[in-house]
Amino acid sequence: MYKGIPASPGIVIGQAYVINKKSAEITKRAVAPELIEAEIQRLRKAVEKTKIDIMSIKEKVIYDIGNSEADIFNAYLMLLEDRMFAGKSETIIKTESVNAEYALMQVLKEYAEFFNKISDSYLKERGRDISGLVEKIIKNLAELKTKDSDAPAEKYIVVAHDLTPADTAEMDKGKVMGFVTEVGGATSHTAIVARSLEIPAVVGVRDITGTLNTGDVLILDGEKGIVAVNPGAKVMNAYKEEQKKYTLKLRMLKRLKTLEAVTVDKHKVELNANIEFPEEIGAVIENNADGVGLFRTEFIYMNKMNLPSEEEQFESYKTVISKMGGKSVTIRTMDIGGDKFLPYFKIMPEQNPFLGLRAIRLSLANQNIFRLQLRAILRASAFGKAKIMFPMISVIEEIEEAKKILEEVKFELKSKKVPFDEHIKVGTMIEVPSAVLMSAEIARHVDFFSIGTNDLIQYTVAVDRGNEAVSHLYDGLNPAVLRSIKMTVDSAHRNGIKVSVCGEMAGQPYLAFLLIGLGVDELSGNAASLLSVKKMVRSIKFQSALETADAALKMEKASEIKNFLTGRVNQLLYETEKGA
Amino acid sequence: MEYSKKVKVINKLGFHLRAVAVFVKESEKYKSLIKVKNGDVEADGKSIMGLMTLIAAQGMEIEIKAEGQDAKEAVSKLVKVIENRFGEKE
């Protein structure tokens, strides 16, 4: 039984699919004489598998870019077939009676030393071509250790050290029942994706990939953060019972689907959903969201070997906009950089990527890519109600420049008589302290604000939420964060514009209660959280939320606010339940 | 039959992985035993790994040797491959 951080609710029982194991240190292992031949076979199989991997990448590149770019893959294939390369490793396995990984590393070391002796820095780089290939083989060797190197045919629970956005994008989402990762917190990429796909997930389960194998039976409890491995009949039955209860609870929530999100004293809160893949729109409609409050467009860029064309982007946006049938879809322009990279788009390595060339900064520095995206969004806007949102605005000039480019693109479309929504609303994300402090001025330039609480917390408290050593400081209830939200809301309302919160805070009922009290007009969370937030909204008085937020704003510590808030929420829910 | 010829590496990146792959693909078309020499180091002309260890950079003069019935054609073709910068632009 493993304990981790509950990241997305629900209980599933199914077999594990262990992927991208943590790349462990290569250790030297003695291999018994009678197993030498098997070890050599293992190496050969891994090399074969690597060849197949490379061939499929090559085909993808030929398809996406063209023949000339695929040459390097031919070179890799030839290298894999080279006698000196694989042959040397096999000799080391035989003569030293060692494991394949170690033998390969010896070969690599030999070449690395050779290339390192050379002063010409360019030739030194040649060593890297080879080490990249060795890494691929070692990864395949690791997989050959598990019972099954490929995904099971049935549905499965993905178990991984970490899931990058690219990993998730490549997944067969129809087959994934749940996620378990070794790293990450409740606001990690995996957690966000799991919640929006309504798939149970547990993150932060240390060292689980080391002991699990593909095919092991797992019980995953996304609400308690528990993962049970190959459980006995007793545990299994208990969980099947829990699963029934959970389904029942879900069914109760579903009854709220068609009801409005209004407080007892008739204050309306708009409840929207965040999405990153067009295929999530099903869950959005299923939970009857008022609109899409945040359509993250990065994934259209990330799941690729090259830049998506205007047509491809247009199709994705159009699909979402048309499926929402008149409900608004807020499309955020690409938020690349920070921890999100593109394989085909080189971003210079930075000391502090989160303080570097990311989001709107990257778009303004690469205007051709930006214009292409704006054109695709504008064209799609003819098929429903779209809004455009710029991420990570930190100075007024950025919003001015972005809007100027948008006007130019509009003009271009107009002159070509391409239809689009000429009155499309434009907003900005408020997620850095400078934008909060300048929110009154920024509000005059835009039609709406959306507060990205994930980044706002990170930048306000100066904490990297992925860094375990400081992640305890990452807290949405930090008084500085609450005061920033309040300031943003006041600036917006004074200028007659609305404020939405699209960070993870919006999806947690008791935090949503506080946000409503701070005056936030719209909440946008993952589709799965909508109904529980709606249940909360319908159980409280707006007046109580205002009073609670007022009191919280006067407090000095996050812990103090947390105790106060949970106490208030429990009391209010108890009162309404008693009254009902 | 044995043939050999010296040739200067003129492409910018020298004997890098992709270039070497082009060379090996060509040399494999011949039955002759092919060796490439850079200074004191000699490598099998049909081994991509071996050729990379020659560390033949732009400006270096290497020697191509072939032994066998098609040695002459092999040497002249392989010299051409190098003179044509392995099909690279610079």
Side-chain angles (χ1 to χ4, degrees), chain A residues 28-88:
Chain A
K28 186 177 180 177
R29 192 161 48 79
V31 175
E34 64 271 22
L35 293 173
I36 296 278
E37 193 47 42
E39 193 63 13
I40 289 174
Q41 285 309 323
R42 195 166 74 91
L43 175 65
R44 285 187 185 163
K45 263 192 199 160
V47 170
E48 278 311 308
K49 174 130 199 325
T50 311
K51 268 190 213 166
I52 294 167
D53 291 348
I54 288 172
M55 276 191 264
S56 73
I57 300 173
K58 182 181 134 186
E59 267 161 38
K60 207 172 169 189
V61 171
I62 290 176
Y63 180 79
D64 285 344
I65 310 173
N67 269 318
S68 60
E69 297 300 319
D71 270 2
I72 186 71
F73 300 107
N74 288 331
Y76 281 141
L77 288 173
M78 288 169 74
L79 193 55
L80 283 171
E81 279 164 15
D82 197 280
R83 279 180 306 229
M84 278 181 74
F85 186 67
K88 261 194 181 172

Side-chain angles (χ1 to χ4, degrees), chain B residues 49-74:
Chain B
M49 203 70 200
L51 288 171
M52 280 184 77
T53 57
L54 287 179
I55 320 272
Q58 190 181 33
M60 288 180 175
E61 194 176 59
I62 56 168
E63 189 181 3
I64 298 172
K65 299 198 286 187
E67 199 186 322
Q69 46 177 312
D70 50 8
K72 197 175 172 184
E73 299 97 281

